[in-house]
Amino acid sequence: MSTKVTLLGTGVGIPQPGRSQAAILVETERPLLLDCGAGTLLRLDEAGIDVENLDTVLLTHLHLDHVSDLLALANARYLRRLPGLEVYGPVGTATWLETLHSAFPYLEKMQVTVHEVRPMDDFSVQGFDIFAEEAKLSVTALAYRIEAEENVLVYSGDTEPSPRVAALAEGADLLIHECSFPEPFDVTNHTTPKKLGRLLKNVNRVVLTHFYPQALGCEEDMALEVSELSGAPVLAGWDMMTMIL
Ligand SMILES: [Zn+2]
């Protein structure tokens, strides 16, 4: 069976035309959502996904551009009288949600269940076998390797170029990796094309995401730079781009 991947949001915290905040939809029999930044609910609707069928979310980390629509999704399911939401996220996700409970007491009714994930954890969700790896960010952050049938997808979340994430992506059918800024930006916590391209080995296909406004107009050049250094085919991601694995 094939796996369909849809980039729901390829943007960041700063608004820009055509780019919603971070979210990726992965579908085999049941859909799985990776991150849930602002704008995700609208993008899910555009992708033809009813919230009735989406009950599981994997979070890479707890920055707002990756979690802003999570409570909106929980609320949408609650208002539709659907069972609660299963949320997988890094250590700290449970405390974060408990803190939100004090601001929104009715969150209790939405029945959000948290499963905290540590680097090197192996678990199964919605028919996917998932392995978590540590990403390199100022806060606790995970990258995920997601296997369904014979297909392997790796998602970096937000990270500096990381040998661990590159190793996680070896042999993957598709790597969705953040590439926030074009060259010659010198940044921490995020990725630029050359460092990423030099790290990647043996990846079948790469799609770049998480573009800051500074990347506007440079996206295709960024993809070319990663491709030339890694030897892999690389595309710049756009919202609602779909790929079949
Ligand atoms: Zn981000």
Side-chain angles (χ1 to χ4, degrees), residues 88-190:
Y88 293 77
V91 171
T93 305
T95 303
W96 171 73
L97 202 73
E98 279 163 25
T99 307
L100 290 171
H101 271 110
S102 60
F104 305 101
Y106 77 127
L107 193 52
E108 197 66 50
K109 297 177 185 171
M110 298 178 202
Q111 299 175 330
V112 180
T113 305
V114 172
H115 308 265
E116 291 197 337
V117 179
R118 289 169 173 75
M120 314 304 282
D121 275 359
D122 228 331
F123 55 101
S124 293
V125 174
Q126 304 283 67
F128 298 97
D129 293 322
I130 300 171
F131 181 78
E133 180 54 282
E134 184 181 0
K136 197 172 177 190
L137 191 64
S138 60
V139 297
T140 305
L142 299 169
Y144 292 111
R145 182 179 175 102
I146 298 160
E147 298 189 25
E149 310 286 335
E150 300 292 296
N151 310 308
V152 177
L153 163 71
V154 171
Y155 173 42
S156 68
D158 285 8
T159 187
E160 287 184 26
S162 153
R164 286 171 182 264
V165 177
L168 189 72
E170 274 200 55
D173 296 290
L174 174 64
L175 167 65
I176 301 174
H177 201 291
E178 78 120 291
C179 202
S180 294
F181 294 91
E183 302 295 344
F185 276 81
D186 185 18
V187 293
T188 55
N189 293 311
H190 292 296

